[in-house]
Amino acid sequence: MKAIIQTGPRSVETQEREVPTPGADELLIKVHTAGLCGSDAHAYKYDGGYEWIPIPRIMGHEYSGTVTEVGANVETFEVGDKVVEEPIHDCGHCFQCRNGQPNVCQNFSITGMHRDGAYTEYVTVTPEHVHAVPEGVPLRHAAITEPTSIATRAVLDQSVTTPGDNVLVEGPGPIGVLVAAVTDSLGANVVVSGLSQDAAYRLPLLEDLGIDTVNLEEEGGLDGRVESQTDGIGFDVVFDATGHHSGVVSGNDVVRKGGQIVVVGIPNSASELSLTSTVRGEVDINTSYGSTWTNFEQALRLMERGEIAVEKILDTSYSVDDPAAAFEAFLGSETCKPVFQFDG
């Protein structure tokens, strides 16, 4: 079977591997489509915080597929079922897991990082980490359930967003786009900020989704949008999906008193946020990491209802046989959500 293997920093290649054999407690899944995200790009570069990943490694953690073989002890799935995997596997017994916080498990492991991943034709997984895909959701769309679940957690669980709120999403990467889409589905007034590097692909993508955007370098910041969209009051909710240490600082500058900032992207270094105005304005700063079983189900239901324009978000123009092209295009902001199709 074909498999996309990371062989070193900024080095990936497509190799032939043996089809895995599922154990008695496992499913064998034929991968249909697998997505590329920011954490995959960090792993590809072997950035700080990702250098622990063993190489060579089959990459990829967000995917959809069809069950082709069922272990003898598995009773919850059948051959032919359409499925997606929760790639962050919690241990089930640490304090956080027992306290209802499995997304921040102390002993978690991630598909495609701690173990071989989904950039391949077949994977094995235990059924407790698998969700059934609704009949109305194409497998190609279901491949981005995992990043959509991160967005549903950020918006539906970790924020106070309500219909009619003025919302800023900082950063038009995959998570920012999906956070904006989920927020828009609630009936909020959403604007997404980006830089000139995003003007060729990512900001136009959002405009095509019917979501307003602002090029910070072209418009000289957000002051004009604060005036025009919020009458100078400030945004009710700001989602920082930049993954940059400056995101929470700039968000703090434009959130209203009594508003909320939700940090979704993991900052690349320490922030220089001064909390004086934050405290005096009683601004709530919250965070959102990963997702839970419920968030996966929410993501699938939103896609089933057509609330997320998945077809417009996916970029299927990259080949399994030239994976480096997809990674480099992603890092250059030339695409937003590239996917590899193994059975498309």
Side-chain angles (χ1 to χ4, degrees), residues 82-324:
K82 299 192 304 179
V83 295
V84 293
E85 178 190 345
E86 282 190 55
I88 300 179
H89 295 189
D90 60 85
C91 71
H93 55 73
C94 71
F95 173 83
Q96 276 70 28
C97 286
R98 295 167 71 89
N99 198 44
Q101 300 167 304
N103 60 305
V104 289
C105 169
Q106 294 180 29
N107 309 304
F108 69 88
S109 64
I110 304 174
T111 299
M113 293 184 181
H114 293 88
R115 58 188 167 273
D116 281 341
Y119 288 170
T120 186
E121 294 182 74
Y122 291 90
V123 297
T124 57
V125 63
T126 51
E128 63 265 29
H129 302 295
V130 172
H131 292 251
V133 175
E135 188 60 37
V137 179
L139 278 174
R140 184 174 66 257
H141 293 189
I144 66 166
T145 302
E146 191 268 346
T148 306
S149 76
I150 291 174
T152 61
R153 178 167 185 79
V155 177
L156 304 179
D157 291 356
Q158 300 299 94
S159 88
V160 296
T161 307
T162 58
D165 279 351
N166 290 311
V167 174
L168 169 68
V169 179
E170 298 180 295
I175 298 302
V177 168
L178 290 166
V179 165
V182 174
T183 307
D184 183 63
S185 76
L186 292 180
N189 305 311
V190 189
V191 60
V192 180
S193 63
L195 304 173
S196 293
Q197 67 190 34
D198 303 308
Y201 186 98
R202 294 180 173 181
L203 296 181
L205 167 63
L206 284 153
E207 294 285 350
D208 193 35
L209 297 178
I211 296 171
D212 197 15
T213 66
V214 54
N215 183 329
L216 296 174
E217 292 168 309
E218 190 175 89
E219 297 194 23
L222 284 164
D223 289 347
R225 294 304 178 99
V226 171
E227 286 298 324
S228 64
Q229 186 162 337
T230 76
D231 293 326
I233 295 172
F235 290 96
D236 297 299
V237 180
V238 176
F239 293 94
D240 173 20
T242 62
H244 194 272
H245 62 272
S246 64
V248 69
V249 178
S250 56
N252 192 58
D253 290 338
V254 296
V255 70
R256 68 167 173 82
K257 290 185 176 182
Q260 184 188 48
I261 301 170
V262 181
V263 182
V264 189
I266 299 176
N268 59 347
S269 61
S271 172
E272 298 179 358
L273 176 65
S274 171
L275 291 174
T276 302
S277 63
T278 313
V279 175
R280 286 177 173 168
E282 206 171 56
V283 172
D284 173 33
I285 298 181
N286 201 1
T287 58
S288 187
Y289 179 75
S291 58
T292 65
W293 184 93
T294 299
N295 301 134
F296 261 74
E297 291 296 311
Q298 290 168 333
L300 287 166
R301 298 300 172 262
L302 284 173
M303 288 190 280
E304 185 180 27
R305 289 172 51 87
E307 298 290 346
I308 310 295
V310 180
E311 197 62 37
K312 292 183 177 181
I313 295 171
L314 295 180
D315 184 352
T316 60
S317 64
Y318 295 95
S319 169
V320 171
D321 297 318
D322 186 16

Side-chain angles (χ1 to χ4, degrees), residues 1-66:
M1 67 178 187
K2 287 184 177 181
I4 296 173
I5 312 290
Q6 181 170 15
T7 55
R10 224 158 181 144
S11 175
V12 292
E13 59 186 62
T14 303
Q15 300 178 1
E16 286 292 326
R17 290 289 182 95
E18 293 294 322
V19 176
T21 300
D25 298 312
E26 293 182 317
L27 302 169
L28 179 66
I29 298 171
K30 183 173 177 56
V31 176
H32 185 281
T33 303
L36 191 159
C37 77
S39 59
D40 294 315
H42 284 298
Y44 168 71
K45 293 194 297 178
Y46 229 50
D47 283 341
Y50 291 82
E51 65 274 357
W52 56 267
I53 299 174
I55 289 179
R57 168 71 77 214
I58 300 176
M59 302 181 74
H61 63 274
E62 51 183 68
Y63 72 98
S64 61
T66 304

